[in-house]
Amino acid sequence: MDRRVTVVLVAVVAHLLAGVAHGYAHDGAGVQLTTGQTAFVWVVATAGPIAAAILVWRGAIRSGALLLVATALAATIFDGYYHVIAETPDHVHAVDGPFADLFIATAILVSITDVLCVLAGAWLYRQVSADTDADRSARVHDGT
């Protein structure tokens, strides 16, 4: 398997595992999401990276990389807003009880893996663009 594909797949799997752990912490802490937040988590933060990984795996590397960057960047902003900025039940300092430490730790982990996915997608896009530019340059020099 291409090393570039492996990097993206590892980032996406890490992101999904962090999301599962954070979901467990949400349930344990009794922190409920609104319907809109739940839809965002399932569609953008979960299905988006999965779809991006599938695109990359199947060879649509540029499209997959762009989708990964877009969905992971949106998730980064979402998580940062609800966990750190907005005064909501989802704010890390609003959670108390036996699941508070797990909630905070997994919120941090989710944010780290969000950023990891943004970086992996951007890196992959740049790699593919560099390959395309090199191919184009070689064709120009070959006269084809």
Side-chain angles (χ1 to χ4, degrees):
M1 181 183 330
D2 185 336
R3 172 180 68 100
R4 299 175 300 186
V5 174
T6 302
V7 167
V8 168
L9 294 178
V10 167
V12 170
V13 168
H15 172 71
L16 295 173
L17 292 173
V20 168
H22 191 59
Y24 175 76
H26 261 267
D27 289 343
V31 177
Q32 301 298 314
L33 298 179
T34 66
T35 302
Q37 290 170 323
T38 300
F40 181 91
V41 167
W42 281 108
V43 173
V44 177
T46 304
I50 291 170
I54 291 168
L55 286 170
V56 168
W57 179 269
R58 295 188 52 115
I61 296 175
R62 186 174 281 189
S63 297
L66 285 175
L67 180 60
L68 184 58
V69 169
T71 58
L73 185 58
T76 301
I77 294 166
F78 176 91
D79 291 335
Y81 179 75
Y82 285 105
H83 289 145
V84 180
I85 297 170
E87 293 187 27
T88 66
D90 202 18
H91 192 285
V92 292
H93 292 133
V95 178
D96 57 2
F99 279 83
D101 289 341
L102 181 62
F103 187 91
I104 293 168
T106 58
I108 292 167
L109 188 58
V110 164
S111 295
I112 290 169
T113 61
D114 287 343
V115 172
L116 179 64
C117 284
V118 171
L119 294 174
W123 173 79
L124 180 60
Y125 186 82
R126 184 178 166 107
Q127 292 290 310
V128 172
S129 295
D131 289 351
T132 304
D133 291 344
D135 291 344
R136 222 179 272 130
S137 177
R139 282 194 305 268
V140 169
H141 294 308
D142 289 345
T144 55

